Amino acid sequence: MPPSKKPPIDPVRWQPPPVDPLPDLPSAELTVVPLPGNAPEDVVVDADGAVWTGVDDGRILRIPADGADPVVVATTEGRPLGLHVAHDSRILVCTSPGGLRSLDPAGGTLETLVAEVDDRRLMFCSNVTQSPDGTIYFTESTSAFSYAHFKGAVMEARPRGSLFRRDADGTVLTAAAGLYFANGVTPTADGSALVFAETMGRRLSKFWLTGERAGTVTPLRENLPGHPDNLSTGADGRIWCAMVSPLNAAAEWLAPRWPALRKLLWKLPDRLQPQIKPEVWAVAFDPDNGEVVAGLRTEHPQFGMVTGLVEAGGRLWMGCIGFPAVAHCALP
C-alpha cells in the first residue's frame, strides 16, 4: 500500500551514543521460506510448533510445524508488527496504526485490547509480551508517527517512546517513558524483569518486576554498534536480539547537527535518504551481565534486515522488513 503524505517533523540536536564493538559472530546457513506477502516483521511459535507472522498488508499468517504452505488466519487493520503467544494461546498483535489486538488462533477473530493511551490514539504499537502473572506489557516506538513514517521518528531524534502495562481489568499505565524508539520487549526466564530495546538509543535495558528494584529501569547492554529491534527469551534464558541494521554514518553525522537540515532531508523522496543495509544479524545476550553468548552475522541475497526472532525446535527463526520471506538456521 502506498504511504500516506508525510507528516511534518520537529527535529532536535541529539548526540548518538558511542559505539562499543561486539565480538565477531559466525556466519550461518539459512533456509529461506517465501511468504505470500512482504516484510514479516516478527515471528513467534505456538505450543504446536507453528510459526506466526504478519505481513505489511495486514494479513496474519500461520506456518504449520510440518512445513506446509503458510495459511492466512486473519487480516487486521494497520500494519502487524510485534507478536506474542499469550498464556491462554491467543496471539497478541501490535498494529500501527490501530493499537494492541488479540487474535483467536482457531476462529481468526480479532479483538482490540488497547486503542488509546492517555486519551490519545496509540500510534506505533511495536512489541508485546506477558509477565509470569499474565500482565501484558507493550511498547510504543513513538507517539508522533505510525510505522509508515518510522524514519520521521529517527530524523526527529526525540524520546517519544514508552513501555506500557495493561492490567487484567483493561487499565493501561505507563511503566517507562522518554525512550528513544522503544521496540522489543521480553521477560527474563526467572520472571524478575522485562528486557526492552531502544532502537535509536542502541541499548537494552531491564524493567524490574520484583524485588527492591521493582518499577525501576537499569541498563543491560549499551552503546551497541547497530540498531536493536525485537527480542525473545531463549530456552536457556538468553535474550535474543534482532539487529535490524548496522550504524548509518550519514544518520549518525546528521543527528547532532542543524535540525533544519533534517527537515529538508525529510521532504526528499525516500530513495535519497539514508538507507538500511540488508544484513542478517542476530545476537544473544546474557540476561544478568549483558555479555554476548551466541549469535550470527552474514548476508543473503533473499533475506535481510532482521527484525524478529525466536527459538523453536533447535532452530532460530527470523522475520525481516526487507524481503517477502522468513528464514531459519540451526541454533547458533
Side-chain angles (χ1 to χ4, degrees), residues 25 45 66 102 143 222 304 328:
L25 296 170
V45 176
D66 62 7
S102 72
S143 58
E222 299 181 292
H328 59 83

Side-chain angles (χ1 to χ4, degrees), residues 124-193:
F124 198 145
C125 187
S126 190
N127 201 246
V128 58
T129 194
Q130 270 185 310
S131 63
D133 69 2
T135 303
I136 293 173
Y137 288 85
F138 63 96
T139 56
E140 183 181 37
S141 294
T142 170
S143 58
F145 302 92
S146 68
Y147 176 87
H149 301 295
F150 75 88
K151 288 184 179 179
V154 175
M155 289 200 180
E156 270 205 344
R158 288 181 179 270
R160 299 187 194 262
S162 298
L163 173 68
F164 295 109
R165 185 183 94 198
R166 182 189 186 274
D167 294 336
D169 63 1
T171 302
V172 177
L173 301 172
T174 301
L179 306 179
Y180 282 93
F181 207 96
N183 208 321
V185 59
T186 191
T188 56
D190 64 4
S192 65

Side-chain angles (χ1 to χ4, degrees), residues 61-204:
L61 310 177
R62 181 180 184 271
I63 305 171
D66 62 7
D69 290 341
V71 177
V72 178
V73 178
T75 300
T76 181
E77 295 180 11
R79 168 79 158 85
L81 297 171
L83 307 173
H84 180 71
V85 181
H87 298 342
D88 61 5
S89 298
R90 291 179 301 163
I91 310 296
L92 303 179
V93 184
C94 295
T95 62
S96 175
L100 179 63
R101 296 190 164 102
S102 72
L103 167 66
D104 173 6
T109 56
L110 286 155
E111 174 191 359
T112 298
L113 299 180
V114 183
E116 295 184 346
V117 290
D118 299 329
D119 297 320
R120 65 165 180 83
R121 184 185 183 195
L122 190 59
M123 288 295 293
F124 198 145
C125 187
S126 190
N127 201 246
V128 58
T129 194
Q130 270 185 310
S131 63
D133 69 2
T135 303
I136 293 173
Y137 288 85
F138 63 96
T139 56
E140 183 181 37
S141 294
T142 170
S143 58
F145 302 92
S146 68
Y147 176 87
H149 301 295
F150 75 88
K151 288 184 179 179
V154 175
M155 289 200 180
E156 270 205 344
R158 288 181 179 270
R160 299 187 194 262
S162 298
L163 173 68
F164 295 109
R165 185 183 94 198
R166 182 189 186 274
D167 294 336
D169 63 1
T171 302
V172 177
L173 301 172
T174 301
L179 306 179
Y180 282 93
F181 207 96
N183 208 321
V185 59
T186 191
T188 56
D190 64 4
S192 65
L194 303 173
V195 178
F196 66 88
E198 290 171 85
T199 301
M200 269 190 64
R202 291 197 273 107
R203 63 188 171 199
L204 306 184

Side-chain angles (χ1 to χ4, degrees), residues 252-311:
E252 294 281 302
W253 184 87
L254 281 167
R257 288 174 169 81
W258 316 282
L261 184 59
R262 277 175 280 150
K263 279 190 175 183
L264 289 173
L265 186 61
W266 177 237
K267 294 178 181 179
L268 295 176
D270 182 74
R271 68 180 185 278
L272 299 179
Q273 295 174 12
Q275 299 297 315
I276 297 174
K277 179 185 176 184
E279 290 191 11
V280 182
W281 192 6
V283 188
F285 296 94
D286 184 284
D288 298 317
N289 59 27
E291 293 298 316
V292 174
V293 294
L296 66 104
R297 190 171 186 181
T298 188
E299 294 184 11
H300 193 283
Q302 297 169 304
F303 191 77
M305 302 184 206
V306 179
T307 45
L309 71 186
V310 65
E311 289 184 15

